């Protein structure tokens, strides 16, 4: 296989406790730590391993977002990606338009595999990969926890509600990854230096000729209902008594 | 009057309870007629049970050998081919629905609303973002087909009604052969199902090994509860992945949730927010899980569990 495309979305780091602004107009992201979406790091790690064992020749990372997303692309290059593409937009891009943009890139680059995260942990949409596959008319293997490549096919184990499902798909295909697929490598300092010399191509999203979708308007952001702290009991007997009193156990 | 189409989830023999929860969600829409479509192979029984879900007006059945396994690439064009007449197309936010529905949305040229937790108007919905740390109200512009997944834990299954008609239909959509089912491996047990159980006993990293985790199974069996786990316990191989509770596992709403040796990371808590009563047993009195537990007990789970069993 020639090429693998990996999506890297810049999101609020998963360790940050997000807060809704008091006027309900959004969530407070001022000055908070931003990172590569954790699922996307796993997607990139998998692509790198595939390239390292000789099953692909190039790994291209792509991000759709503001110019700040260059940071995440540089991190991706430092992890080992060969080249990066930023489709720059000051506005947030809806998933369907993001999928259409990925499809444009796919048509240009002709990858054998597109690996994305199963979901971005900001909007928790879990839809972009399936949309790319649908628009492209190619297979999708979502929520992957194991990927094997042979003879122009991928055999993918998927984490589903029932357990582990295995499907076989013809390449090219879209795979979205789950957390147990691999453990991403740490970036070393010399790699960060080297990454500065790798190509990062920035293009205006607006030049792609995609009409972004304005169908959804978020009219309000609210904090979730908080569960309040309950009571502490001293021992197992009091616990069982409390549960019996609530009628939860006989 | 608007038209709503719900994609049924089933395993070939029984309807998944998430379908009845999608019907509950659709029933909150003002003035809509609800149709359920069952796609599969040899699905007369499943279609018949969909026909008895309260509030459903009609069931469509697309029964074909090609639909034997729920492959999104195979189902999506069929759903898209029947979705034309509907204002709303809903599926469950189970792994089945999450896999299928965005592909359907893409084929229909629309975005999807993921994880509806409340209907607040004919074209207005609430959904969680940031692992449930914020709830957004999303309003959809007129004349835009609403494709959505329904967060099952936010809804109670609808009741039953006298069966309505089942109409067999065929889809003329071209079906791809680039995606093939190989196998499914599940630790199917006689225990209650994690997603629908009234009681769940869950264990975390503290269990330390697969063997030690049997203490959780033992208590679960005494309480006729389902077994759940934290991601750390699954990652460490103590239990299979289908038992994971949380943002990237199962979102559940049992009446009773008992967490043993689970610290209470936000991604775990996302999965149990709708539980009736949360009980936490942890040896660290500062564990974050105590902040949201209805009943907490500081102690070593390996001594507490036998004591609980003795007190039952
Ligand atoms: C993108 C993302 C998604 C995630 N999704 C999920 C998810 O879906 N579900 C999930 O659970 N996690 C998820 N996580 C992981 C989550 O952040 C935590 O790492 C995980 O929940 C920790 O599991 P734990 O509580 O079992 O382990 P720990 O945090 O290690 O806690 C173990 C607890 O056991 C207590 N303990 C130790 N020994 C005993 C004893 N003998 N008796 C009593 N108590 C004892 C300790 O005091 C401690 O509180 C996700 C993380 C990320 C980044
Ligand atoms: N703006 C973006 N830039 C790069 N990749 C993206 C972007 N949006 C979504 N993706 C990819 O699609 C996956 C699923 O995102 P989502 O559908 O938004 O949950 C992410 O894990 C990324 O791999």
């Amino acid at each position: 296989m020639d090429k693998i495309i990996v999506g890297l979305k810049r999101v609020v780091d998963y360790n940050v406790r997000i807060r809704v602004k008091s006027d309900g107009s959004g969530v407070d992201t001022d000055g908070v730590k931003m990172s590569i979406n954790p699922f996307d790091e796993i997607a990139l790690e998998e692509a790198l391993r595939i390239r390292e064992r000789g099953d692909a020749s190039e790994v291209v990372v792509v991000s759709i977002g503001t110019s700040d997303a260059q940071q995440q692309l540089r991190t991706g290059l430092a992890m080992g990606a060969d080249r990066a593409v930023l489709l720059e937009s000051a506005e947030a891009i809806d998933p369907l338009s993001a999928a259409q943009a990925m499809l444009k890139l796919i048509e240009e680059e002709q990858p054998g595999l597109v690996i994305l995260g199963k979901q971005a942990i900001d909007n928790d949409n879990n839809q972009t990969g399936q949309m790319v596959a649908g628009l492209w008319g190619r297979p999708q293997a979502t929520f992957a926890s194991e990927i094997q490549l042979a003879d122009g096919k991928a055999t993918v184990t998927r984490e589903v509600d029932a357990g582990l499902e295995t499907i076989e798909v013809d390449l090219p295909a879209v795979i979205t990854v789950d957390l147990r697929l691999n453990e991403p490598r740490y970036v070393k300092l010399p790699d960060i230096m080297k990454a500065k010399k790798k190509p990062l191509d920035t293009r205006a999203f607006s030049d792609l000729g995609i009409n972004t979708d304005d169908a959804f308007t978020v009219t309000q952001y609210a904090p979730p209902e908080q569960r309040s702290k309950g009571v502490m009991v001293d021992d197992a007997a009091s616990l069982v008594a409390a549960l019996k009193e609530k009628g939860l156990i006989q | 009057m608007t038209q709503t189409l719900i994609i049924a989830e089933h395993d070939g023999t029984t309807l998944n309870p998430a379908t009845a929860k999608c019907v509950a969600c659709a029933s909150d829409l003002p003035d809509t007629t609800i149709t359920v479509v069952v796609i599969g192979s040899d699905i007369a029984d499943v279609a018949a049970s969909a026909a008895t879900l309260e509030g459903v007006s009609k069931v469509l059945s697309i029964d074909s050998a090609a639909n034997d396994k729920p492959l999104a690439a195979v189902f999506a064009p069929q759903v898209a081919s029947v979705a034309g007449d509907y204002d709303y197309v809903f599926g469950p936010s189970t792994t089945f629905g999450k896999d299928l529905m965005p592909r359907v949305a893409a084929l229909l040229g629309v975005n999807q609303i993921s994880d509806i937790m409340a209907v607040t108007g004919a074209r207005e919905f609430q959904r969680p973002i940031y692992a449930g740390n914020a709830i957004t109200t999303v309003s959809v512009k007129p004349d835009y087909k609403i494709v959505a997944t329904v967060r099952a834990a936010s809804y109670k299954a609808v009741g039953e009604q006298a069966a309505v008609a089942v109409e067999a239909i065929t889809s003329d959509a071209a079906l791809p052969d680039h995606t093939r089912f190989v196998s499914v491996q599940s630790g199917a047990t006689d225990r209650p199902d994690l997603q629908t159980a009234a009681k769940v006993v869950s264990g975390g990293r503290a269990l330390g090994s697969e063997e030690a985790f049997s203490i959780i199974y033992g208590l679960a069996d005494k309480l006729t509860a389902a077994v759940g786990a934290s991601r750390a316990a699954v990652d460490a191989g103590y239990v299979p992945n289908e038992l994971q509770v949380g943002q990237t596992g199962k979102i559940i709403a049992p009446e009773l949730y008992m967490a043993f040796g689970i610290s209470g990371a936000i991604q775990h808590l996302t999965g149990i927010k709708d539980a009736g009563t949360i009980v936490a047993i942890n040896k660290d009195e500062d564990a974050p899980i105590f902040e949201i537990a209805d009943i907490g007990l500081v102690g070593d789970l390996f001594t507490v569990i036998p004591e609980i069993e003795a007190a039952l």
Side-chain angles (χ1 to χ4, degrees):
Chain A
M1 180 197 323
D2 196 20
K3 226 177 270 181
I4 303 177
I5 292 184
V6 174
L8 297 187
K9 189 174 188 193
R10 171 185 165 91
V11 298
V12 173
D13 188 84
Y14 80 94
N15 282 311
V16 173
R17 223 173 218 284
I18 222 65
R19 278 186 213 293
V20 175
K21 289 184 188 160
S22 51
D23 63 358
S25 65
V27 295
D28 212 341
T29 52
D30 285 350
V32 305
K33 184 176 179 208
M34 302 296 287
S35 298
I36 297 177
N37 181 41
F39 292 94
D40 300 353
E41 243 183 304
I42 294 169
L44 175 54
E45 175 65 35
E46 196 66 17
L48 296 174
R49 290 185 192 185
I50 292 169
R51 189 196 63 196
E52 283 159 5
R53 52 170 200 261
D55 288 338
S57 52
E58 191 183 28
V59 174
V60 182
V61 285
V62 52
S63 192
I64 302 164
T66 62
S67 59
D68 289 336
Q70 287 183 13
Q71 287 167 28
Q72 281 63 42
L73 289 172
R74 286 284 170 212
T75 307
L77 293 169
M79 276 178 73
D82 299 286
R83 156 163 100 69
V85 179
L86 172 63
L87 302 175
E88 190 180 342
S89 162
E91 312 289 316
I93 300 294
D94 61 280
L96 181 65
S97 303
Q100 285 165 341
M102 298 248 182
L103 187 64
K104 293 238 170 193
L105 206 66
I106 287 167
E107 283 163 355
E108 284 173 27
E109 302 273 356
Q110 299 287 322
L113 204 51
V114 175
I115 314 184
L116 303 180
K118 85 162 174 182
Q119 78 196 65
I121 61 162
D122 49 5
N123 285 324
D124 286 333
N125 271 318
N126 194 336
Q127 53 179 310
T128 307
Q130 297 87 318
M131 287 183 154
V132 173
L135 297 174
W136 192 14
R138 293 303 308 166
Q140 69 189 47
T142 52
F143 326 144
S145 66
E146 200 189 324
I147 301 171
Q148 279 166 2
L149 300 175
D151 312 323
K153 292 189 284 259
T155 304
V156 180
T157 303
R158 310 176 51 231
E159 293 209 3
V160 296
D161 291 339
L164 295 172
E165 182 193 83
T166 304
I167 61 172
E168 184 188 83
V169 298
D170 296 338
L171 301 181
V174 177
I175 296 178
T176 77
V177 306
D178 217 318
L179 293 171
R180 274 178 280 276
L181 179 61
N182 62 47
E183 202 147 334
R185 66 196 64 189
Y186 285 103
V187 175
K188 294 188 234 48
L189 202 58
D191 298 329
I192 296 175
M193 303 311 290
K194 260 197 283 180
K196 291 195 173 132
K197 298 201 191 75
K198 290 187 182 176
L200 192 164
D201 173 22
T202 299
R203 293 201 239 164
F205 188 90
S206 55
D207 288 348
L208 297 173
I210 294 166
N211 293 319
T212 54
D213 184 49
D214 62 352
F216 298 166
T217 312
V218 177
T219 54
Q220 211 209 340
Y221 293 79
E225 259 176 61
Q226 292 299 330
R227 291 187 74 104
S228 50
K229 195 175 159 79
V231 297
M232 298 298 289
V233 293
D234 293 329
D235 51 36
S238 326
L239 173 61
V240 170
L243 291 177
K244 283 187 176 162
E245 198 179 313
K246 284 181 171 239
L248 289 167
I249 58 176
Q250 270 86 52
Chain B
M1 200 73 171
T2 60
Q3 299 290 329
T4 299
L5 182 67
I6 291 171
I7 321 306
E9 175 170 359
H10 61 88
D11 62 4
T13 35
T14 45
L15 199 57
N16 187 297
T19 305
K21 295 180 178 186
C22 288
V23 175
C25 173
S27 303
D28 287 346
L29 293 166
D31 296 325
T32 197
T33 303
I34 301 172
T35 301
V36 174
V37 61
V38 183
I39 306 173
S41 166
D42 227 347
I43 44 172
D45 290 351
V46 180
S49 63
T52 64
L53 294 178
E54 189 180 357
V56 171
S57 296
K58 189 164 68 171
V59 173
L60 304 175
S61 158
I62 312 183
D63 197 333
S64 143
N67 292 333
D68 190 35
K69 299 296 177 198
L71 297 169
V74 174
F75 279 25
Q78 301 178 70
V79 175
S81 76
V82 295
D85 301 334
Y86 296 87
D87 306 280
Y88 305 89
V89 183
F90 286 1
S93 65
T94 53
T95 52
F96 163 77
K98 286 174 174 172
D99 187 37
L100 173 63
M101 299 307 289
R103 191 166 178 123
V104 171
L107 297 181
L108 296 171
V110 296
N111 275 297
Q112 168 184 282
I113 300 189
S114 305
D115 305 314
I116 291 180
M117 50 193 296
V119 174
T120 50
R123 308 187 68 79
E124 195 185 83
F125 306 90
Q126 286 185 341
R127 66 169 299 258
I129 59 172
Y130 287 102
N133 280 312
I135 309 300
T136 58
T137 303
V138 181
S139 127
V140 186
K141 74 178 181 190
D143 303 321
Y144 186 93
K145 201 182 285 292
I146 297 179
V147 175
T149 57
V150 174
R151 184 177 180 274
S154 298
Y155 290 92
K156 285 205 165 43
V158 293
E160 294 199 353
Q161 65 178 13
V164 295
V166 176
E167 185 187 328
I169 59 166
T170 50
S171 160
D172 50 13
L175 303 185
D177 58 4
H178 53 47
T179 304
R180 294 166 293 274
F181 175 87
V182 177
S183 63
V184 65
Q185 179 197 328
S186 66
T189 61
D190 299 337
R191 293 195 174 84
D193 173 55
L194 176 57
Q195 248 154 344
T196 48
K199 293 176 234 169
V200 174
V201 177
S202 225
R205 191 197 311 271
L207 272 302
S209 70
E210 188 180 350
E211 297 69 45
F213 210 93
S214 63
I215 193 171
I216 297 290
Y217 285 103
L219 178 61
D221 290 347
K222 289 206 170 63
L223 297 172
T224 50
V227 172
S230 70
R231 176 184 165 198
V234 176
D235 284 359
Y238 308 161
V239 289
N241 67 288
E242 64 264 29
L243 298 191
Q244 183 175 316
V245 172
Q247 181 191 12
T248 49
K250 289 182 174 142
I251 311 271
I252 57 173
E255 287 162 31
L256 173 63
Y257 185 77
M258 301 181 78
F260 291 89
I262 292 178
S263 59
I266 182 76
Q267 296 89 358
H268 188 80
L269 301 184
T270 301
I272 56 171
K273 268 212 290 262
D274 298 296
T277 298
I278 297 176
V279 173
I281 287 83
N282 196 301
K283 70 176 184 189
D284 173 8
E285 61 178 330
D286 295 323
I289 193 148
F290 287 130
E291 294 303 314
I292 57 103
D294 298 286
I295 308 176
L297 172 56
V298 177
D300 185 324
L301 72 94
F302 294 104
T303 48
V304 172
I305 290 180
E307 287 168 7
I308 292 175
E309 290 178 349
L312 285 174

